[in-house]
Amino acid sequence: MIQIGKILKKVPIFKMLGKESIDFIVERLKFKTFQKGENICEIGDPGEEMFIIISGETDICIGEKGNQQVVATLKSGDYFGEMALLTGEPRSATVKANEVTETFVLYKNDFDVILEKYPSISLSMGKIVSQRLRDTLKKAASASGEKKDNFEARGDGSGPSGSLKDMALVDLISFCEANSLTGDMKISHGDELGVFEFERGELLNIKLGDLADDAALDKMINWQDGRFEINVRPLTLKTTPEEETVDEVKKVLIVNNSKVVRRVIERAFTGLGYEVSTASNIATSLDVINTVVPDIIITDIKLADGSGIEFIRQVRDTQNVPFIFITDDAVKANFEQELQDVDDVDITKTHEVSEIVKLVENKLLQ
Ligand code: CMP
């Protein structure tokens, strides 16, 4: 058990979790070994589980049998199979063991429970999924036989672009559908700009100036030249199938005299998909709050221009933002006394970032 926990702590999506949370996940993992050359899952199949690689190596392949492209190679600490669980869509790729590969398997029911309990996992997973979709889209695009010059990834994080002379509009639409595009495809022709919006490969609407849907398509289908550009939108994920999507990025303000402490906490929250602002004192914090009201403030109790008590009073004059104070043992008791009538406050004496993350998530996602 302890050993498995150690392995899990090395997986980026679980890194931020404390021991209790890791134990909770460990209890739900199964162990499975695949032989060299074995297909662990196949493109188009329904997805029942995700895998975390303990040892070995897998290729992620797209395309028809006999004409497969490797889009990525995953190793120990990487995971796969999460997309089908998150989207409910069939497997987006075939995953093949390049050598004997040991995995932990997490079945859908447990996966849903874990994501609901630890939303930070779905936040970091969401980023990876979006990146994977982009990579796959680019690979599929370049594999579709287009000349590289005319159909290439722009390297700005978006999908492929190119000329309509090289790929007909109908083929582009099928391409977006086949690759489960969430985002849009823009078609430009002289001064005119048409936009096709997709959600998980489903064409939602088409616009061209005042024209919509069929009328817009009828006009664009006749364009012999022009350019296309496919833009992948980061996915918003469901924590459970019934729940609302997590579509709002939470905002955290970190206030601390020490640049290093600010930076360490900032990195942890940015990595988890939070929008982070930092400030070194009360005055700068109030400026930040005037521009964007954070969902939570994490602050030291002693700042260069005043105490934590003064800080929270000034903020609470206008905004009811929750506070987490970081302090040390010596002053914690006094400080708790002073804050006893103030709502929505947590005090922690730890500087351990994973503990601070847990407190924030309990607060914001309760
Ligand atoms: P899923 O679609 O459930 O099954 C195939 C898995 O391959 C997919 O989840 C991802 O985990 C993984 N995968 C797909 N595309 C990529 C990619 N571009 N890079 C890494 N892994 C990928």
Side-chain angles (χ1 to χ4, degrees):
M1 191 82 137
I2 292 167
Q3 199 62 10
I4 302 178
K6 270 192 190 156
I7 298 170
L8 228 51
K9 278 293 263 184
K10 291 192 191 138
V11 180
I13 45 169
F14 300 131
K15 225 180 215 149
M16 304 309 295
L17 301 178
K19 186 181 170 319
E20 215 179 287
S21 327
I22 291 285
D23 286 347
F24 183 87
I25 297 171
V26 167
E27 277 169 27
R28 285 157 179 80
L29 296 176
K30 310 279 177 292
F31 181 80
K32 206 163 173 185
T33 303
F34 296 91
Q35 299 309 312
K36 182 175 176 176
E38 197 175 340
N39 280 355
I40 302 175
C41 61
E42 298 208 16
I43 193 163
D45 283 353
E48 300 297 329
E49 71 280 78
M50 73 165 273
F51 303 83
I52 299 159
I53 304 178
I54 306 168
S55 68
E57 188 187 277
T58 63
D59 270 349
I60 309 291
C61 312
I62 54 164
E64 310 268 305
K65 262 195 189 134
N67 184 27
Q68 283 188 325
Q69 308 283 318
V70 176
V71 289
T73 300
L74 305 183
K75 295 197 164 74
S76 168
D78 291 328
Y79 58 86
F80 59 89
E82 80 292 2
M83 288 190 189
L85 301 191
L86 290 164
T87 61
E89 300 284 319
R91 296 289 190 202
S92 61
T94 294
V95 184
K96 192 171 135 202
N98 292 341
E99 49 194 70
V100 173
T101 300
E102 295 176 310
T103 63
F104 290 134
V105 184
L106 189 58
Y107 286 92
K108 175 138 179 60
N109 285 350
D110 292 324
F111 176 86
D112 287 342
V113 170
I114 288 169
L115 254 56
E116 195 181 351
K117 200 164 158 72
Y118 307 110
S120 64
I121 299 178
S122 55
L123 285 172
S124 32
M125 219 178 237
K127 287 187 175 173
I128 304 275
V129 170
S130 300
Q131 185 57 49
R132 287 181 169 180
L133 283 172
R134 269 198 288 270
D135 292 348
T136 303
L137 206 54
K138 283 178 193 168
K139 190 78 186 183
S142 55
S144 70
E146 301 308 323
K147 280 189 231 113
K148 204 168 181 294
D149 297 354
N150 294 327
F151 193 96
E152 67 177 10
R154 288 191 305 276
D156 60 356
S158 317
S161 61
S163 165
L164 283 184
K165 286 191 178 137
D166 297 312
M167 198 158 182
L169 188 55
V170 275
D171 293 334
L172 283 167
I173 297 171
S174 318
F175 172 78
C176 295
E177 287 169 343
N179 286 285
S180 290
L181 174 71
T182 294
D184 64 37
M185 176 171 71
K186 295 199 172 75
I187 306 287
S188 58
H189 178 255
D191 292 343
E192 294 180 282
L193 180 72
V195 181
F196 294 71
E197 274 195 53
F198 291 86
E199 183 84 37
R200 295 194 172 118
E202 190 189 335
L203 182 54
L204 297 181
N205 58 58
I206 312 173
K207 286 195 188 115
L208 173 68
D210 294 338
L211 303 178
D213 301 331
D214 285 355
L217 182 62
D218 284 347
K219 185 159 182 203
M220 281 189 270
I221 211 94
N222 295 316
W223 290 352
Q224 300 297 321
D225 54 20
R227 295 209 44 92
F228 67 86
E229 181 184 303
I230 298 172
N231 303 296
V232 184
R233 201 174 62 233
L235 273 188
T236 47
L237 305 173
K238 290 187 180 226
T239 49
T240 65
E242 311 80 42
E243 269 183 29
E244 285 301 297
T245 48
V246 181
D247 54 2
E248 201 195 322
V249 175
K250 296 285 182 198
K251 297 183 275 301
V252 177
L253 170 61
I254 297 158
V255 191
N256 203 292
N257 286 327
S258 156
K259 197 174 176 181
V260 177
V261 174
R262 287 202 302 272
R263 189 75 195 110
V264 169
I265 306 179
E266 180 185 8
R267 273 173 53 181
F269 280 95
T270 309
L272 289 170
Y274 285 76
E275 192 179 310
V276 182
S277 325
T278 60
S280 59
N281 56 32
I282 299 179
T284 326
S285 304
L286 295 176
D287 284 344
V288 172
I289 297 164
N290 272 336
T291 322
V292 183
V293 182
D295 295 294
I296 196 155
I297 298 174
I298 304 165
T299 178
D300 203 356
I301 65 162
K302 271 192 250 150
L303 296 161
D305 51 354
S307 71
I309 304 284
E310 288 164 54
F311 183 24
I312 192 167
R313 297 242 151 89
Q314 290 189 54
V315 172
R316 292 285 171 87
D317 277 348
T318 55
Q319 304 291 345
N320 207 13
V321 185
F323 268 71
I324 292 181
F325 287 100
I326 304 175
T327 174
D328 52 40
D329 252 346
V331 287
K332 185 169 182 273
N334 277 350
F335 195 62
E336 270 170 346
Q337 186 76 20
E338 286 184 84
L339 279 174
Q340 63 182 346
D341 298 329
V342 186
D343 292 336
D344 233 354
V345 172
D346 278 295
I347 307 173
T348 173
K349 56 182 198 280
T350 177
H351 272 78
E352 203 178 308
V353 178
S354 58
E355 288 301 316
I356 299 170
V357 169
K358 259 199 267 173
L359 269 178
V360 167
E361 297 206 326
N362 281 343
K363 197 95 208 158
L364 295 185
L365 306 159
Q366 60 193 326

